[in-house]
Amino acid sequence: MLTAHSPFELDAAAQGRAAAELHLLSRAVGADEREAHFVVPEIHCAGCIARIERALKQLPDVTEARVNLTTKRVRLRWRAPASPPVIETLQRLGFSAHVHDAPPAADDATRGELVRALAVAGFAAMNIMLLSVSIWAGAEAPVRALFHWISAAIALPAILYSGRVFFRSAWASLRHGRTNMDVPIAVGVITAFGLSLYETITHGPHAYFDATVTLLFFLLIGRTLDHLMRERARTAVEGLLRLEARSATHVAPDGAHAPIAVDDIAPGMTLMIAPGERIPVNAEIVSGNSDVDLSLVTGESTPEPAQPGGVLWAGALNLSAVLLVRATATARASFLADMARMMEAAESGRSQYRRIADRAARLYAPVVHLAAFLTLIAWWAASGDPHKAITIAIAVLIITCPCALGLAVPMVHVAAARWLFAQGVMLKDGGALERLAETDSVVFDKTGTLTLAAPQASMVAGADPSALLCAAALGARSLHPYARAIARLTEGAPMAFECVREEPGAGIEGMLEGACYRLGRPAWTQMSADAPADEDAVLLTRDGEICARFVITHTLRPGAAEAVAALKGAGFQIEIVSGDHARPVTALASALGVPHAARITPAGKVAHIARRTEEGRKVLMVGDGLNDAPALMAAHASIAPASAADVGRNAADFVFLRPSLMAVPEAVLTARRAATLVRQNMALAVLYNLIAVPIAIAGQVTPLIAAIAMSGSSVIVVANAMRIGRSASP
């Protein structure tokens, strides 16, 4: 693995090795471009993103540089055959770098550190606040001094332990001549503690340990939630990559069989795929007939026949018989790898929200500190009393503490998440509420979303009732979804079929009392190529004579029609985009009265959403399959049912737990309500500062009153957030 070296400047030999390794670990993405991914663990805010992207784009021959905050990866493209000095450039910026082709594992150590820091800060803030209540109530000077020293003894280790998350980042940034949002945070916390300690040493009446530790506590809440959100997003990509095969059986030209690592598979190699194995790379079928589960590609649970000359995608599951395939791509250029890259690219596109939040945080802290500093200078010059000037400046610093502003958004998100959970909807990302409230278009997948995933079978009237028992007995011997649906039609005693054999892609047959029964496709069961094809029909035949006909249908999900009508009434543009065959998609779309597109691949769904985005639409994607995961990530917001594949659930912003699709319009209504409350809370927080700050600067507020005002503004914001449960439309 290529890693950053020390010192910052590499010698000529090291640069040559780095360039050679970079070329080896990159991949071609066109006739004259190459691409590589770098893991940069130190990335944690918008400042890091902007600095890295700006520096890399200035390198010769670099055509694109994108940073993904969630996976902490840099995606770089450059013109071949050049090898830009990427590692050296990142070193000069103070970042380490590693070339890697898979996303990093979830950072359990960082998560544990944040949770412990949050717990320590919360415990310290609670205890210091209890001591402060006694001081505010008018404790005598000796008791006040004792409580101040106890508060200092609690605050110091708490700040050193919990604040190191910010101090370490701020120091690393300053040491390399740059700033990030943690620099003003660290300065503010240290300054407030230092002034409080000075007041304690000089037996002053006021100290502000409570405000300092409480501020740190709220800042850690935001940092912890942000880390958990990014960790969840990484899980979606990792879950997809876990579907990759790890090895395959290579068939040499002389017929010898040998295991081979997937990364060592080259185009043109012949591979043997046994039943139950996943296709390791994109390939074409050389020989063999089987059923293949293509749900990863099409989203449909119904297996499709695989025949010589057919094309298979990496990740598809071979079900019935041995296949010999010829690899057409390497592992890094195959379908699963492309899907993972699409999911990462889609997540990177959402970073504008995080960038806006980071810029606001970087602006707010310096303004607060500047206001307190200018107040200190002005009052010192006007009164000549440094103690009075410091006291007023501290009051300004406390009263402008961004607690209310910091609670304005997360408290609404917490209240909304609790309300949605009561309604059977899980919210995975608070920022998704804002995106969901902005959506104006909905793209539905069909199977598993608008319809239930398991197909339903019904026997056409007029057949001999005993034929149902025969069909169910044969169907019970197969894993095909259509056969299982027929088997569920009866609970009668199973018939003792002999010589049962399943024909991949056609059906299943067995012998009973000397007669050959077949259950499957019309042409195969009637032993005639001229039999009419009907993709939704399954026949049971006895020696080629039809005994029963079964119709296969997909049941509409409960509440689907009502949900579509509700969304239409709210002004949404509705579409169905499915990987299923055209006929069932058209029938469903006609019944619901919405436009549709059928036989769409995962990349096609992403492209469809991209086109709607270019038209100015903000798309809500509702899907459930593995093939929907990139589209769920690419959409402005996304919802999946609890029955969805693991990757789909991880990729979606919301997961609804109940069967009814009415969860979708209810989630939209709640999101719009939450957006209204967020705007109200922001307005309340800003109004509080507009009123309180001038009064504090004028010297009319003591630190005690400032702390009460700060707490009061937070209580108002929290109380307003609790109104999310009202049913009135925003």
Side-chain angles (χ1 to χ4, degrees):
M1 181 182 296
L2 181 63
T3 60
H5 300 272
S6 181
F8 292 157
E9 296 295 335
L10 303 182
D11 58 32
Q15 290 182 21
R17 290 194 302 272
E21 291 181 31
L22 176 61
H23 183 83
L24 179 64
L25 295 171
S26 62
R27 69 185 187 98
V29 290
D32 60 348
E33 281 193 335
R34 300 193 70 82
E35 178 182 276
H37 291 248
F38 302 84
V39 177
V40 183
E42 293 84 2
I43 296 174
H44 73 281
C45 72
C48 302
I49 294 174
R51 192 173 181 86
I52 290 173
E53 288 184 350
R54 184 170 57 249
L56 293 180
K57 287 177 181 177
Q58 292 174 352
L59 294 177
D61 300 309
V62 171
T63 58
E64 182 181 1
R66 291 289 299 275
V67 177
N68 186 303
L69 182 61
T70 294
T71 56
K72 298 186 178 182
R73 289 175 65 177
V74 178
R75 178 165 60 90
L76 188 73
R77 286 190 178 185
W78 66 91
R79 286 184 290 271
S83 293
V86 182
I87 303 300
E88 303 92 303
T89 301
L90 290 173
Q91 283 182 319
R92 294 189 187 100
L93 298 177
F95 297 98
S96 62
H98 314 267
V99 176
H100 205 279
D101 194 58
D107 193 349
D108 292 333
T110 301
R111 180 180 58 191
E113 180 186 27
L114 286 171
V115 171
R116 289 191 297 271
L118 179 63
V120 170
F123 178 80
M126 176 180 64
N127 283 276
I128 295 174
M129 193 63 70
L130 289 174
L131 295 172
S132 298
V133 170
S134 300
I135 296 173
W136 296 343
E140 297 294 331
V143 175
R144 183 180 65 234
L146 175 62
F147 282 6
H148 280 173
W149 278 111
I150 295 175
S151 298
I154 296 174
L156 180 59
I159 291 173
L160 291 177
Y161 183 82
S162 300
R164 60 181 177 168
V165 173
F166 305 102
F167 301 153
R168 186 170 57 238
S169 171
W171 172 245
S173 181
L174 292 173
R175 185 161 53 92
H176 293 96
R178 55 188 173 91
T179 61
N180 59 23
M181 64 175 293
D182 291 335
V183 172
I185 290 175
V187 171
V189 170
I190 292 172
T191 302
F193 177 80
L195 292 171
S196 300
L197 186 61
Y198 172 80
E199 286 289 312
T200 301
I201 293 173
T202 58
H203 304 288
H206 302 292
Y208 320 108
F209 299 111
D210 49 0
T212 304
V213 180
T214 301
L215 175 61
L216 190 61
F217 174 65
F218 283 119
L219 290 170
L220 281 168
I221 289 177
R223 183 61 57 87
T224 303
L225 292 176
D226 178 70
H227 178 81
L228 293 176
M229 180 189 70
R230 290 188 278 113
E231 188 176 70
R232 185 177 295 114
R234 285 197 297 268
T235 302
V237 180
E238 292 165 358
L240 180 63
L241 292 178
R242 277 196 291 270
L243 295 175
E244 286 184 316
R246 294 291 176 257
S247 63
T249 301
H250 177 222
V251 181
D254 60 1
H257 293 57
I260 184 174
V262 171
D263 289 339
D264 295 333
I265 296 176
M269 285 186 174
T270 301
L271 308 172
M272 185 182 75
I273 311 298
E277 291 184 351
R278 289 196 178 273
I279 311 302
V281 296
N282 295 353
E284 61 181 1
I285 302 172
V286 176
S287 65
N289 291 272
S290 181
D291 281 327
V292 178
D293 181 356
L294 295 177
S295 60
L296 181 65
V297 181
T298 66
E300 301 306 312
S301 58
T302 304
E304 296 192 9
Q307 301 172 346
V311 175
L312 296 174
W313 303 99
L317 182 64
N318 183 26
L319 297 176
S320 307
V322 174
L323 291 175
L324 284 182
V325 302
R326 183 181 297 110
T328 59
T330 63
R332 282 195 284 175
S334 288
F335 180 76
L336 276 179
D338 287 341
M339 285 186 71
R341 282 190 286 269
M342 279 192 291
M343 292 170 70
E344 284 196 34
E347 198 280 330
S348 295
R350 298 178 181 180
S351 62
Q352 58 179 320
Y353 298 96
R354 201 171 289 121
R355 292 173 189 239
I356 291 173
D358 286 343
R359 283 199 296 268
R362 290 201 312 271
L363 176 64
Y364 189 85
V367 168
V368 168
H369 298 148
L370 179 62
F373 178 73
L374 293 178
T375 300
L376 171 66
I377 298 301
W379 275 99
W380 197 337
S383 66
D385 185 352
H387 185 272
K388 181 178 181 180
I390 292 174
T391 301
I392 295 174
I394 289 295
V396 172
L397 190 65
I398 293 175
I399 209 167
T400 54
C401 177
C403 291
L405 193 61
L407 286 171
V409 177
M411 280 310 303
V412 173
H413 290 173
V414 169
R418 182 178 179 182
W419 172 255
L420 285 171
F421 184 76
Q423 306 306 309
V425 181
M426 290 180 60
L427 167 64
K428 297 169 57 181
D429 172 9
L433 276 172
E434 301 170 5
R435 297 193 297 274
L436 182 60
E438 296 170 347
T439 56
D440 53 19
S441 300
V442 183
V443 171
F444 282 103
D445 177 46
K446 184 184 78 71
T447 304
T449 304
L450 287 170
T451 65
L452 298 176
Q456 305 295 316
S458 59
M459 188 172 70
V460 176
D464 185 343
S466 64
L468 177 59
L469 295 177
C470 291
L474 277 176
R477 303 287 291 272
S478 172
L479 295 178
H480 195 286
Y482 285 8
R484 306 300 295 177
I486 294 172
R488 289 195 296 268
L489 292 178
T490 179
E491 296 181 357
M495 294 185 174
F497 278 93
E498 299 176 349
C499 303
V500 177
R501 180 183 68 88
E502 186 167 4
E503 181 71 20
I508 187 170
E509 71 175 9
M511 301 297 296
L512 180 65
E513 298 178 354
C516 177
Y517 286 82
R518 284 188 171 187
L519 179 70
R521 297 179 183 271
W524 181 76
T525 55
Q526 297 178 75
M527 307 178 188
S528 171
D530 298 328
D534 186 350
E535 64 188 24
D536 292 328
V538 175
L539 298 184
L540 174 70
T541 64
R542 183 178 185 273
D543 293 331
E545 298 295 326
I546 298 176
C547 299
R549 182 175 184 271
F550 298 89
V551 176
I552 305 298
T553 59
H554 291 272
T555 305
L556 199 65
R557 180 181 286 274
E562 295 83 353
V564 170
L567 291 168
K568 281 185 176 180
F572 280 81
Q573 183 184 81
I574 312 295
E575 295 177 284
I576 299 176
V577 178
S578 174
D580 199 0
H581 297 283
R583 191 170 71 175
V585 176
T586 301
L588 178 62
S590 299
L592 297 176
V594 297
H596 68 281
R599 302 302 289 172
I600 305 299
T601 65
K605 292 183 179 182
V606 173
H608 183 87
I609 291 174
R611 286 193 297 271
R612 292 292 178 263
T613 303
E614 291 173 358
E615 294 169 1
R617 294 281 180 176
K618 294 185 177 179
V619 179
L620 166 63
M621 175 68 194
V622 186
D624 78 310
L626 293 171
N627 66 310
D628 294 321
L632 291 167
M633 295 289 285
H636 198 64
S638 54
I639 301 179
S643 58
D646 290 343
V647 174
R649 290 198 305 271
N650 285 326
D653 298 315
F654 300 82
V655 174
F656 61 91
L657 307 177
R658 63 189 191 188
S660 176
L661 202 62
M662 279 300 294
V664 175
E666 289 175 3
V668 171
L669 176 65
T670 301
R672 291 184 172 181
R673 179 72 175 167
T676 299
L677 292 178
V678 165
R679 289 192 293 269
Q680 291 175 355
N681 276 355
M682 295 293 288
L684 288 171
V686 171
L687 181 63
Y688 157 77
N689 281 282
L690 289 176
I691 296 174
V693 172
I695 297 176
I697 292 175
Q700 301 302 310
V701 177
T702 65
L704 173 61
I705 299 301
I708 294 174
M710 180 195 69
S711 301
S713 66
S714 300
V715 170
I716 292 173
V717 165
V718 172
N720 190 52
M722 295 297 104
R723 297 170 58 237
I724 191 71
R726 293 187 179 181
S727 60
S729 177

